[in-house]
Amino acid sequence: MLYEISEKAIQLQNQGKEIIKFNLGDPDLPTPPAIVEAAYEAMKQGKTKYSSAAGEKALREELAVIHGVSADNVVVTTGSKWAVFSSLFLLLKRGENVVVPSPHWTSYELAAKKLGVETRFLKSDLGSNWKVDPEKLEALIDDNTRLIILNSPNNPTSKVIDSKTFAEIVQIAQSKGVTVLSDEVYSDISFVKADSILDYGKSNILVSGFSKAFLMTGWRIGYVVVEKELAKRMIKLNQITTTCVPAFIQYGALKGLETRKQIADDIRRTFKLRADAAYSVLSKSKMQFSRPDAPFYLFPKVDGLDSERFALDLLDRGVAVAPGTAFGDYREYFRIALTVGEDKIKEGLEKLCEALP
Ligand code: PMP
């Protein structure tokens, strides 16, 4: 359905219609120029050949310093999406299962499905302010559970898992011998402090990347922090699949790390204003929603809404959103990605409110 919306939005744009696109998690802000310059400079210096399947030494070392691990624990991947897929590929066998708090980023489920792995969803809802319930999570684990996937801040709710809950989940995973894969792609730009899986030792999997926190979605660069043995297996998998992330892209990313805090502050500032602009419109409507803990997404609910129908109809009014069904069993919800400027946010959300049944 996400694909259908996206295609229809493009079709309408090609017909000359203006579409305010809230449907994709691709921030409109440009990649910081210093990153672009550093990548260009690296290209000019000949960093255009095959390179290490583990990632450039300098980048791995810098990421290791940031995360308080050794460079041997870091593997650079083709986006964090590949980091997720290769973790699942290496750790799970057909017939096993993975537990995922929902709503969730669909790729976890789709990757698991491709591998013949069952995904067990732990539903949360707006009524509890998207609280993930550790007891219910524990009840989903059985002898075939290998992995729990956490995503805090979450896509699509922009909610952070509080420290107590995070600690309880890690504790449950440990006691059951299950690995936690923590997808922290939105952590650096979170409005509130988000726990990292690395706060709880180094035996789990951290997935992160540059797409969101460095505005580098199209560059395709992410990474994992894992135990050394698993790192070696991931490097091998890179060797036989993607070969390497192009070295010049890694030098762009490395440049970004130099001003990591500054870039994150700028993103936060912009998206806080956007969230406030959205809030001022939405709070006058009958939508229910909670304030985001992180940039990019709002996930409002309208009682009785069929969000797939709504999203399709809304396109004819010039606004694209993602229906809640793209993130699990959430038909009454839809996701708004605040990836346009404040004026467009207000205009788009006003149209959206008018279209509500
Ligand atoms: N994790 C989550 C939760 C995401 O929302 C996304 C992108 N939408 C990704 C990972 C993928 O990011 P990347 O571009 O690094 O593959």
Side-chain angles (χ1 to χ4, degrees), residues 24-26 77-84 104-108 150-156 183-186 207-212 216-223 296-297 327 335:
L24 294 177
D26 195 352
T77 57
T78 306
S80 48
K81 193 182 248 176
W82 183 248
V84 170
H104 57 278
W105 182 46
T106 9
S107 275
Y108 308 136
L150 299 183
N151 173 218
S152 167
N154 171 273
N155 173 10
D183 177 345
E184 301 178 9
V185 291
Y186 299 102
V207 167
S208 193
F210 291 81
S211 285
K212 314 290 175 170
M216 293 175 74
T217 47
W219 297 61
R220 310 313 302 134
I221 176 163
Y223 61 94
F296 302 154
Y297 311 117
F327 310 94
R335 190 190 72 176

Side-chain angles (χ1 to χ4, degrees), residues 149-295:
I149 300 183
L150 299 183
N151 173 218
S152 167
N154 171 273
N155 173 10
T157 64
S158 290
K159 281 304 197 192
V160 159
I161 298 177
D162 65 88
S163 288
K164 184 169 169 285
T165 306
F166 206 113
E168 278 173 33
I169 294 172
V170 177
Q171 170 61 37
I172 290 166
Q174 233 162 28
S175 71
K176 300 267 182 187
V178 175
T179 302
V180 177
L181 183 155
S182 181
D183 177 345
E184 301 178 9
V185 291
Y186 299 102
S187 276
D188 263 7
I189 48 176
S190 184
F191 299 145
V192 302
K193 196 199 159 302
D195 277 21
S196 169
I197 192 64
L198 293 172
D199 300 336
Y200 300 90
K202 295 179 185 133
S203 58
N204 291 292
I205 300 174
L206 165 78
V207 167
S208 193
F210 291 81
S211 285
K212 314 290 175 170
F214 294 86
L215 306 165
M216 293 175 74
T217 47
W219 297 61
R220 310 313 302 134
I221 176 163
Y223 61 94
V224 285
V225 177
V226 288
E227 281 188 323
K228 289 179 191 171
E229 281 314 303
L230 183 55
K232 282 186 197 156
R233 294 173 64 207
M234 287 201 171
I235 294 165
K236 274 211 177 111
L237 187 60
N238 277 353
Q239 268 161 2
I240 62 172
T241 55
T242 57
T243 306
C244 61
V245 172
F248 58 88
I249 285 177
Q250 298 188 55
Y251 285 97
L254 183 61
K255 185 71 186 174
L257 291 180
E258 278 178 24
T259 51
R260 176 172 164 244
K261 293 212 157 51
Q262 175 70 49
I263 294 171
D265 282 349
D266 290 348
I267 295 174
R268 263 195 294 269
R269 195 173 319 111
T270 301
F271 280 90
K272 192 97 192 58
L273 291 172
R274 290 181 179 186
D276 289 345
Y279 192 81
S280 72
V281 181
L282 298 188
S283 53
K284 288 184 220 133
S285 77
K286 62 176 172 186
M287 270 175 255
Q288 305 159 50
F289 59 97
S290 63
R291 275 194 182 260
D293 291 335

